[in-house]
Amino acid sequence: MDECRGGNMVELVLIGVLALVVGGCACVVWAERGGPRWARMVATVTLAAGELLRRSEKNQRRGLSRTSDDGGGD
């Protein structure tokens, strides 16, 4: 029974994250069309979070390519 409860908790967290992402994207579109101040603030935070994720992925890929090149062909 405990395993089912843990699975339900993970599902709830994932649904919550999905709701935040969809809400953030909606605020970006709304702010682009001249929405209220709070929507523009949420849009700014959403875009900044997306940029941070892109940079961290790029840095991880760079780190992986460096480590794979070091062990090279000898």
Side-chain angles (χ1 to χ4, degrees):
M1 260 191 212
D2 290 335
E3 291 177 13
C4 291
R5 288 182 185 169
N8 289 339
M9 182 61 80
V10 170
E11 288 175 7
L12 286 175
V13 169
L14 289 176
I15 289 170
V17 169
L18 180 61
L20 287 173
V21 169
V22 170
C25 291
C27 284
V28 169
V29 171
W30 194 11
E32 188 69 27
R33 296 178 179 204
R37 179 185 232 172
W38 65 266
R40 291 191 300 264
M41 290 172 35
V42 172
T44 301
V45 170
T46 301
L47 293 172
E51 184 62 30
L52 285 174
L53 285 173
R54 272 188 295 252
R55 286 182 184 177
S56 70
E57 286 180 4
K58 189 183 286 187
N59 289 339
Q60 285 179 353
R61 277 187 257 138
R62 285 181 183 164
L64 289 175
S65 66
R66 284 182 193 154
T67 56
S68 64
D69 289 343
D70 291 344
D74 285 336

